[in-house]
């Protein structure tokens, strides 16, 4: 019997069943069969594998299967085999356990090193061709570390020679099985390694490690026979069962995806755009149908085999939640067969394919935490990551940004992004640090042959150029100043533009918002203002008051509730538990959305309502904010035509609260950019009305222009210089972090937040309650009663963000970077400890006036 059949690849902990181990060659062929089934079923996978070079597809296919089957080369080593002594002795009954000393051994990195001994890579050219492929497949346990030739085990020479012979035999066997039918051999060198290979191999390994789909076998069967009769026959069923394969639309465009929705404005351009991999940047006014446009164009790319999934990334959880509902409605048109729509926050429908992968990880194996099924289950235990494996994923932008950072399995995220059309909404909403990461994501997407759609109503020209350049498009000196504007960049080709100048019937209608500015100390409503808001609501108006700070919103909500006897007042911000936030979001959409049920109601909110939410108000009151965000807020005024507007609100009305002394206080801290606040302030004082869309280009370009205004105060100029230097440092600091060769961190939400923000982000606080049975989450589940996988998701759903100023009061974070806050249940249904209080209506707050803690920081 050949030596390769004396090694196990997967083993149960005890020899208590027939075929209690799975021979290593068969496990490797199972994984290769999943890769083969995916290749055969997906033109997108084939295209991404072939994107670099003119190699024969048959030969690339052969190299892919050959190397995927080599992913566990490091298991042909006695140090790994000793992880299950029963399986080792079952396959090698005469083995002398005293002939080897146990030692720590990582089979992934070792596989990279063993390749150099098994294949004669005597020249630098051969090494440079082979090693990237082996590094990609051997890193399937999360770390693409630099390869090192491992030391021989502390064992007798006969044992070492047996392992080395098995490795050589395995390479020769795989060459006969995969390379020779394609006219290749071990003397040939592979072409450039596909950029998606690492993530592709990891997922194939996760699927191929599931014993429900690939039964254990420890009796010998010829490799070719096992490949044809067992591995290949099981692989397609297994792959389909995960939900990662889905039939896309036969054609895209508005008429196919939104058949009951006549195209308007920029939507009439969808069918004129390139149906090939590239970057599409969409600039259009709020309410012009950018989301439908993006999905209709993405459907074209799905139909032509450019991508096989959609990932929709948004600035906040609230916008992601709202987008999920819209995508679920259109999903049957995007994926006519079985569809898999996944929200990154854990409350989309539970998909049985994911559940099967997670359940496989719960079953004990001899490998323990090294087992691929266990690592898959651990990765999927935080539901945020599942968006990268479905047909349609909805997430916040940080989940995409981390795909270019050094966390374990980041290449799985990257694979999910590259096989998809990446749609990033509200692309103007990110700071310099996040732009540093976003430009790396775009560069990687372009290099891998992927596609992206970026959308914004309020994008300054310098940001547009930065994004197009990151993709590799050649930005011309003379650019279009049209609005709306569609820009498309291919890799290394001149940027192309489309606008509506030749389609006057589709130009956005002019819409005038009547503007009133009121000077208020600390930008807070006076008692007289509050009386006017209540009176307007009593007369039937839906009024929104948008605050820049959560604590301001909570305080204003209380003032309104105390003074308003007959008018309902709602509160909406980001400092709620996920389940509570969902209830509130749904209520907000019902009362203030397109088909709103309410008249005469007040919403107090923060920035969560300024982007991507389809809300419609009669009167908007807002604290001063940067001009682009102000325009986003104004986009929620009279968003839909109505005949029942109350008297006095037939036209859109916006009231902006300004400081009387041009001192912006905490509002400047939030937006970090005094010049933009000051310039927005001045522009607002110059007019009593704003007409959209004409105002977009001139106001945004003037406010964000680098050239100084003639009357800018010295303090504003100094702030600009300080901000600019800081922003450049953060931008390039993020770029360096994305390019750094460092040991990968654990792929946790805390690390994701820490690495995708510039350090000024809030704190992640896990809310728990003290109960007689012990510590429990606020949703009632006992912490000690949950296994690792359930606890990960429970933590995800029972955490909120708090200001950095609360750090001293919250104590030290746990090993995952979360701050544990154990609260006491109160009779009114809330929970509190000291000055901290959480209620489902108000969220988490630091109560003013509590003598046990200092005044509330931000």
């Amino acid at each position: 019997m050949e030596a390769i059949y004396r090694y196990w690849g997967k083993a149960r902990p005890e020899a208590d069943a027939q075929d209690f181990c799975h021979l290593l060659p068969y496990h490797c062929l199972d994984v290769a069969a999943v890769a083969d089934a995916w290749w055969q079923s997906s033109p997108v996978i084939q295209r991404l594998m072939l994107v670099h070079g003119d190699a024969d597809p048959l030969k690339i296919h052969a190299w892919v299967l050959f190397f995927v089957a080599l992913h566990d080369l490091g298991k042909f080593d006695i140090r790994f085999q000793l992880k299950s002594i029963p399986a080792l002795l079952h396959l090698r009954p005469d083995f002398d356990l005293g002939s080897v000393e146990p030692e720590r051994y990582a089979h992934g990195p070792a596989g990279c090193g063993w390749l150099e001994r098994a294949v004669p890579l005597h020249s630098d050219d051969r090494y440079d061709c082979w090693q990237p492929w082996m590094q990609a497949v051997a890193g399937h346990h999360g770390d693409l570390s630099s390869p090192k030739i491992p030391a021989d085990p502390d064992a007798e020479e006969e044992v070492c020679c047996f392992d080395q012979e098995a490795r050589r035999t395995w390479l020769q066997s795989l060459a006969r099985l995969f390379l020779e039918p394609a006219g290749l051999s071990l003397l040939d060198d592979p072409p450039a390694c596909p950029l998606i290979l690492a993530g592709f191999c990891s997922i194939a390994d996760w699927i191929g490690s599931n014993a429900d789909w690939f039964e254990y076998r420890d009796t010998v069967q010829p490799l070719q026979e096992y490949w044809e009769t067992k591995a290949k026959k099981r692989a397609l069923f297994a792959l389909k069962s995960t939900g990662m394969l889905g039939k896309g639309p036969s054609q895209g465009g508005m008429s196919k995806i939104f058949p009951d929705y006549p195209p308007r404005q920029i939507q009439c351009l969808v069918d004129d755009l390139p149906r090939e991999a590239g970057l599409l940047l969409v600039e259009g006014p709020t309410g012009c149908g950018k989301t439908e446009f993006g999905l209709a164009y993405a459907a074209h790319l799905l139909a032509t085999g450019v991508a096989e999934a959609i990932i929709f990334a948004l600035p906040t959880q609230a916008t992601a939640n709202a987008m999920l509902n819209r995508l679920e409605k259109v999903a049957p048109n995007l994926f006519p067969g079985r569809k898999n729509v996944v929200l990154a926050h854990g409350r989309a429908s539970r998909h049985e394919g994911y559940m099967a992968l997670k359940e496989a990880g719960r079953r004990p194996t001899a490998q323990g935490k090294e087992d691929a099924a266990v690592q898959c289950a651990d990765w999927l235990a935080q539901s945020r990551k599942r968006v990268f494996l479905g047909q349609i994923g909805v997430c916040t932008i940080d989940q995409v940004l981390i795909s270019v950072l050094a966390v374990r399995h980041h290449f799985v995220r990257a694979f999910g992004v590259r096989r998809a059309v990446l749609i990033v909404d509200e692309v103007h909403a990110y700071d310099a640090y996040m732009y540093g990461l976003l430009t790396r994501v775009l560069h990687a997407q372009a290099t891998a042959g992927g596609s992206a759609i970026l959308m914004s109503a309020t994008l300054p020209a310098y940001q547009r150029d930065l994004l197009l350049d990151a993709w590799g498009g050649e930005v011309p000196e003379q650019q279009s100043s049209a609005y709306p504007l569609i820009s498309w960049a291919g890799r290394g080709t001149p940027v192309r533009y489309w606008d509506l100048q030749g389609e006057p019937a589709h130009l956005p209608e002019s819409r005038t918002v009547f503007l009133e500015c009121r000077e208020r100390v600390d930008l807070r409503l006076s008692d007289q203002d509050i009386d006017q808001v209540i009176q307007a609501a009593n007369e039937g108006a839906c009024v929104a008051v948008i605050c820049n700070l959560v604590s301001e919103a909570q305080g204003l909500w209380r003032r309104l509730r105390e003074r308003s006897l007959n008018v309902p007042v709602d509160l909406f911000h980001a400092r709620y538990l996920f389940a509570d936030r969902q209830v509130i979001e749904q209520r907000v959409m019902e009362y203030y959305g397109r088909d709103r049920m309410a008249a005469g109601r007040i919403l107090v909110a923060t920035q969560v309502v300024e982007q991507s939410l389809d809300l419609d108000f009669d009167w908007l009151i807002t604290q001063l904010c940067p001009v682009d965000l102000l325009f986003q807020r104004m986009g929620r005024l009279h968003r839909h035509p109505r005949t029942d507007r109350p008297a006095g609100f037939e036209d859109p009305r916006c009231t902006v609260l300004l400081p009387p002394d041009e001192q912006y206080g905490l509002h400047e801290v939030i937006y970090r950019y005094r010049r933009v606040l000051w310039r927005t302030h001045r522009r607002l004082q110059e007019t009593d009305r704003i007409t959209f869309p004409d105002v977009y280009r001139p106001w945004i370009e003037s406010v964000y222009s680098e050239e100084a205004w003639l009357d800018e105060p010295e303090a504003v100029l100094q702030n600009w210089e300080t901000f600019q230097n800081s922003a450049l440092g953060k931008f390039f600091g993020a770029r360096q972090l994305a390019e750094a060769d460092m040991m990968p961190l654990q792929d946790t939400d805390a690390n994701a937040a820490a690495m995708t923000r510039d350090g000024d982000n809030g704190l992640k606080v896990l809310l728990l309650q003290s109960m007689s049975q012990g510590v429990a989450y606020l949703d009632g589940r006992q912490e000690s009663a949950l296994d690792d996988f359930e606890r990960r998701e429970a933590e995800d759903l029972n955490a909120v963000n708090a200001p950095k100023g609360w750090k001293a009061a919250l104590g030290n974070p746990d090993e995952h970077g979360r701050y544990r806050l154990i609260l006491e249940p109160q009779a009114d249904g809330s929970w509190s400890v000291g000055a901290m209080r959480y209620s489902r209506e108000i969220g988490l707050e630091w109560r003013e006036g509590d003598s046990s803690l200092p005044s509330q920081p931000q």
Side-chain angles (χ1 to χ4, degrees), residues 834-850:
M836 301 288 186
R837 179 176 182 270
Y838 182 84
S839 71
R840 302 195 187 282
E841 191 172 34
I842 304 173
L844 181 64
E845 58 180 336
W846 184 313
R847 291 177 294 174
E848 297 285 356
D850 193 309

Side-chain angles (χ1 to χ4, degrees), residues 249-261 263 267-272 275 292-303 330 333-334:
S250 58
Q251 64 185 73
M254 291 294 298
S255 61
K256 177 67 176 179
I257 306 305
F258 300 97
D260 301 323
Y261 190 90
Q267 296 166 356
C268 71
L269 299 174
V270 167
D271 294 341
D272 300 333
R275 301 179 191 184
E292 292 79 9
F293 171 94
L295 292 172
Y297 178 66
H300 274 316
L301 300 181
L302 294 171
V330 74
N333 294 341
L334 290 166

Side-chain angles (χ1 to χ4, degrees), residues 510-822:
S510 292
R511 189 173 69 96
T512 298
V513 174
F514 291 88
L515 182 67
E516 176 194 21
C517 295
R518 299 182 183 180
E519 293 188 345
R520 296 291 183 267
V521 176
D522 295 329
L523 307 188
R524 293 179 178 174
L525 290 179
S526 66
D527 288 344
Q528 183 179 3
D529 296 329
I530 287 179
D531 289 339
Q532 289 180 358
V533 169
I534 294 171
Q535 180 181 351
N538 274 321
E539 293 173 358
C542 282
V543 185
V545 185
I546 303 181
C547 302
N548 295 330
L549 297 95
V550 173
S551 59
E552 291 275 352
Q554 291 169 328
L556 177 59
W557 177 84
R558 279 199 169 89
R559 292 174 65 196
L560 283 163
R561 287 286 292 262
E562 290 168 358
R563 297 169 70 93
S564 174
L565 301 177
N566 302 316
V567 176
V569 184
D570 302 298
L571 177 64
F572 183 30
H573 54 76
R575 207 174 293 163
Y576 292 100
L577 295 184
F578 180 81
D580 298 335
R581 185 170 63 246
Q582 273 203 313
V583 172
I584 294 169
E585 287 172 19
Q586 184 62 36
R587 186 188 307 149
V588 166
M589 295 303 295
E590 290 175 359
Y591 293 149
Y592 307 98
R594 175 191 291 265
D595 303 314
R596 69 188 194 191
M597 300 166 52
R601 200 172 186 102
I602 304 167
L603 175 66
V604 180
T606 60
Q607 295 90 334
V608 293
V609 299
E610 73 189 15
Q611 295 165 340
S612 299
L613 295 182
D614 190 8
L615 304 177
D616 185 338
F617 300 104
D618 300 309
W619 181 20
L620 171 68
I621 303 174
T622 173
Q623 294 179 327
L624 175 67
C625 62
V627 63
D628 49 333
L629 304 182
L630 179 63
F631 287 173
Q632 294 284 344
R633 295 178 185 186
M634 289 182 177
R636 275 67 203 159
L637 268 173
H638 288 226
R639 191 176 176 93
H640 299 291
R642 298 185 186 280
T643 59
D644 59 349
R645 304 280 180 191
F649 297 94
E650 296 87 353
D651 297 311
R653 287 176 50 189
C654 178
T655 299
V656 183
L657 306 180
L658 304 176
D661 52 4
E662 295 185 355
Q663 297 300 312
Y664 304 110
L666 287 174
H667 305 277
E668 182 179 330
V669 174
I670 293 169
Y671 294 111
R672 310 174 191 174
Y673 195 177
R674 186 176 184 182
R675 174 187 256 187
V676 169
L677 287 177
W678 182 86
R679 288 181 172 182
T680 303
H681 186 165
R682 285 299 180 91
R683 295 300 307 249
L684 290 169
Q685 290 177 317
E686 296 170 355
T687 184
D688 62 356
R689 66 192 64 192
I690 296 177
T691 300
F692 296 98
D694 298 344
V695 72
Y696 279 111
R697 285 272 190 251
W699 276 49
I700 289 173
E701 295 306 328
S702 67
V703 168
Y704 281 96
S705 170
E706 292 189 6
E707 296 182 8
W709 288 13
L710 293 177
D711 58 345
E712 279 186 352
E714 183 64 26
V716 170
L717 290 173
Q718 291 177 355
N719 172 266
W720 155 250
E721 292 175 0
T722 301
F723 175 85
Q724 185 75 344
N725 291 335
S726 174
L728 286 173
K730 290 173 180 178
F731 177 84
F732 288 109
R735 295 284 294 262
Q736 289 176 352
L737 184 61
E739 297 164 3
D741 184 12
M742 55 185 286
M743 289 295 292
L745 301 175
Q746 289 297 317
D747 189 2
T748 64
D749 287 342
N751 285 337
M755 298 178 74
T756 58
R757 310 285 170 162
D758 67 3
D760 294 329
N761 195 39
L763 310 173
K764 185 72 73 174
V765 182
L766 181 62
L767 301 186
L768 302 150
Q769 61 179 318
S770 177
M771 302 183 70
S772 58
Q773 305 92 329
V775 175
Y777 299 101
L778 292 199
D779 61 15
R781 288 181 287 177
Q782 290 291 321
E783 188 178 32
S784 60
L786 304 181
D787 63 24
D788 288 344
F789 311 119
E790 293 168 333
R791 185 159 53 250
R792 285 283 187 89
E793 190 155 274
E795 289 173 350
D796 192 27
L797 299 177
N798 286 273
V800 298
N801 279 323
K804 287 190 68 178
W806 293 15
K807 187 174 183 178
L810 292 170
N812 296 319
D814 63 16
E815 65 272 19
H816 301 297
R818 285 192 172 102
Y819 293 82
R820 292 168 60 89
L821 184 61
I822 300 178

